[in-house]
Amino acid sequence: DVKVTQSSRYLVKRTGEKVFLECVQDMDHENMFWYRQDPGLGLRLIYFSYDVKMKEKGDIPEGYSVSREKKERFSLILESASTNQTSMYLCASSLITGEQYFGPGTRLTVT
Amino acid sequence: QQQVKQSPQSLIVQKGGIPIINCAYENTAFDYFPWYQQFPGKGPALLIAIRPDVSEKKEGRFTISFNKSAKQFSLHIMDSQPGDSATYFCAASIGQATNKLIFGTGTLLAVQP
């Protein structure tokens, strides 16, 4: 069964903290994605990776960085969290082509 | 040009009704149009997808209608059930070479018993 797991379902951080969101997939997928989901804005792509150590910026990369040291793991990093980064963060993975499989999401609150 | 515009933002129908969700795009290079369904507390999951070489695709009670000349596509849910209550996202991509999707803003559907 396809599985994408995210390290936390809920996270509360303070402004200025460094935040790590972890995503692991067990499907040997080449592609991995990080989105943020906000009401009325849909899903917006932050970064994606098409191979280990390879990454590309999505539509809203400002304030974020990513790391993919192993094929199954893709991390999203908020170097200095700000209140406008309070959101639902969704990780997804896919083969080179085809369906994207999503994790359950991490709801991050920055206070 | 990279946007996908989705409407309505929310929709309430009675059980058995046929909710219709519409999406429009500008970029004629888009050639893959999936719909994702998201239940509360879950990540989105692929529901149905279409390519522009066909005008309609059915899977069970879900149908995508595609109008290439108008650059519009829509999702119809036949005989809707309370279990269909969810948020629906349309999306588009340019081929599947990078598999990047541009998502619409989502439609919250409530099917009342």
Side-chain angles (χ1 to χ4, degrees):
Chain A
D1 197 19
V2 166
K3 201 153 188 183
V4 178
T5 56
Q6 296 185 228
S7 52
S8 305
R9 294 301 303 269
Y10 300 94
L11 209 52
V12 180
K13 295 292 182 181
R14 294 195 180 276
T15 302
E17 277 194 80
K18 190 169 185 176
V19 181
F20 292 86
L21 302 182
E22 304 284 337
C23 176
V24 177
Q25 51 97 0
D26 65 357
M27 297 163 284
D28 202 34
H29 283 171
E30 289 82 5
N31 294 337
M32 296 189 76
F33 308 82
W34 274 107
Y35 296 89
R36 64 176 282 176
Q37 180 177 5
D38 300 289
L41 297 177
L43 281 72
R44 293 179 293 167
L45 182 65
I46 304 171
Y47 267 96
F48 77 101
S49 168
Y50 49 91
D51 201 351
V52 175
K53 298 189 186 294
M54 306 302 287
K55 61 186 178 185
E56 278 197 25
K57 293 180 180 179
D59 300 316
I60 51 165
E62 297 78 19
Y64 304 95
S65 62
V66 290
S67 172
R68 193 170 181 196
E69 296 295 320
K70 292 185 178 181
K71 190 175 185 180
E72 67 272 18
R73 188 179 298 270
F74 192 34
S75 302
L76 180 69
I77 304 154
L78 287 67
E79 293 289 342
S80 177
S82 64
T83 55
N84 63 13
Q85 292 177 310
T86 291
S87 186
M88 171 70 82
Y89 290 87
L90 290 163
C91 175
S93 72
S94 76
L95 293 169
I96 294 174
T97 63
E99 178 179 355
Q100 289 189 21
Y101 294 86
F102 284 83
T106 296
R107 184 165 294 282
L108 172 67
T109 302
V110 182
T111 62
Chain B
Q1 254 215 337
Q2 287 292 94
Q3 281 187 320
V4 176
K5 295 183 179 179
Q6 183 172 347
S7 63
Q9 190 170 4
S10 63
L11 190 53
I12 301 173
V13 299
Q14 297 295 315
K15 178 182 174 183
I18 306 175
I20 300 172
I21 304 170
N22 300 297
C23 287
Y25 62 97
E26 289 296 323
N27 190 341
T28 55
F30 287 147
D31 64 357
Y32 174 67
F33 302 90
W35 285 88
Y36 279 77
Q37 179 188 54
Q38 184 181 31
F39 293 107
K42 304 284 188 183
L46 179 66
L47 183 63
I48 187 173
I50 197 169
R51 294 197 176 275
D53 52 346
V54 297
S55 60
E56 186 176 278
K57 183 174 181 180
K58 287 185 182 181
E59 284 187 10
R61 295 183 293 106
F62 299 91
T63 299
I64 300 179
S65 298
F66 187 83
N67 186 330
K68 190 174 182 178
S69 60
K71 292 183 284 187
Q72 295 175 348
F73 58 110
S74 59
L75 177 70
H76 302 231
I77 306 176
M78 309 302 289
D79 186 28
S80 59
Q81 301 296 312
D84 297 329
S85 298
T87 300
Y88 293 82
F89 294 95
C90 61
S93 73
I94 300 172
Q96 292 185 283
T98 63
N99 221 21
K100 286 175 61 178
L101 292 174
I102 308 298
F103 281 90
T105 51
T107 296
L108 179 61
L109 172 65
V111 180
Q112 295 183 334

